[in-house]
């Protein structure tokens, strides 16, 4: 009889202790936003890429501001095109090509031939750095 009371008490105390000890500080589940190619580009992407470019290309503050403005405008136009045209449609691809060409021309004027060539050569590296900043 004593053993059964002891066993019941032990079981009860372990059950309640385990609930409060092991489950009290359980972290909340991690929820990540999944971006697809059709998702709008976040406005912070322009800022992050401009910051990476400023560091890698050693841009002046004036150039950095101009690059940030160009990239911000590019993101705005690209997101508007994604809303206007169906995903992967020829119209969307043509509009994206036009937007990117205009952006490249503006960047080339802002950066000058030497830094623009350096930008083109380092684009993949800069894109990887930008992705790291967005996490």
């Amino acid at each position: 009889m004593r053993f059964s009371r002891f066993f019941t008490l032990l079981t009860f105390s372990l059950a309640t202790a385990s609930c409060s000890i092991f489950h009290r500080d359980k972290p909340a589940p991690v929820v990540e936003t999944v971006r697809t190619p059709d998702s709008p580009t976040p406005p912070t992407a322009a800022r992050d890429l401009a910051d990476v470019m400023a560091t890698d290309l050693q841009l002046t503050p004036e150039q950095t501001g101009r690059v940030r403005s160009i990239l911000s405008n590019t993101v705005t136009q690209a997101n508007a095109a994604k809303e206007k045209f169906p995903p992967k449609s020829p119209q969307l691809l043509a509009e994206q090509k036009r937007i990117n060409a205009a952006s490249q021309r503006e960047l080339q004027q802002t950066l000058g031939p030497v830094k623009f060539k350096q930008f083109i050569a380092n684009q993949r590296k800069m894109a990887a750095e930008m992705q790291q900043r967005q996490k």
Side-chain angles (χ1 to χ4, degrees):
M1 182 124 161
R2 279 186 159 177
F3 181 73
S4 66
R5 282 186 187 172
F6 176 72
F7 184 72
T8 304
L9 181 61
L10 180 64
T11 304
F12 177 74
S13 64
L14 287 176
T16 57
S18 67
C19 289
S20 63
I21 292 174
F22 297 111
H23 301 291
R24 176 178 32 172
D25 296 325
K26 191 174 187 178
V30 176
V31 178
E32 293 187 26
T33 303
V34 178
R35 291 200 60 226
T36 65
D38 303 331
S39 299
T41 303
T44 56
R47 179 203 64 211
D48 292 342
L49 181 55
D51 290 347
V52 169
M53 288 174 67
T55 302
D56 286 1
L57 302 175
Q58 298 173 342
L59 301 180
T60 66
E62 182 182 317
Q63 286 175 315
T64 303
R66 182 74 181 123
V67 165
R68 187 173 281 138
S69 175
I70 292 166
L71 295 175
S72 180
N73 188 36
T74 302
V75 166
T76 301
Q77 289 179 13
N79 286 339
K82 285 180 182 180
E83 287 181 21
K84 184 177 181 181
F85 300 109
K88 300 179 185 175
S89 68
Q91 299 92 345
L92 176 61
L93 297 176
E95 185 66 8
Q96 288 174 329
K97 190 173 184 178
R98 183 197 65 73
I99 293 166
N100 287 334
S103 178
Q104 293 285 345
R105 281 192 302 276
E106 288 183 72
L107 286 171
Q108 189 171 15
Q109 289 174 343
T110 301
L111 299 175
V114 174
K115 287 190 180 183
F116 185 74
K117 192 173 185 178
Q118 188 180 357
F119 165 67
I120 296 299
N122 295 338
Q123 261 183 325
R124 288 181 192 242
K125 181 183 140 216
M126 288 181 196
E129 286 179 38
M130 185 190 78
Q131 292 293 330
Q132 288 299 320
R133 289 180 184 222
Q134 290 184 333
K135 290 183 178 182

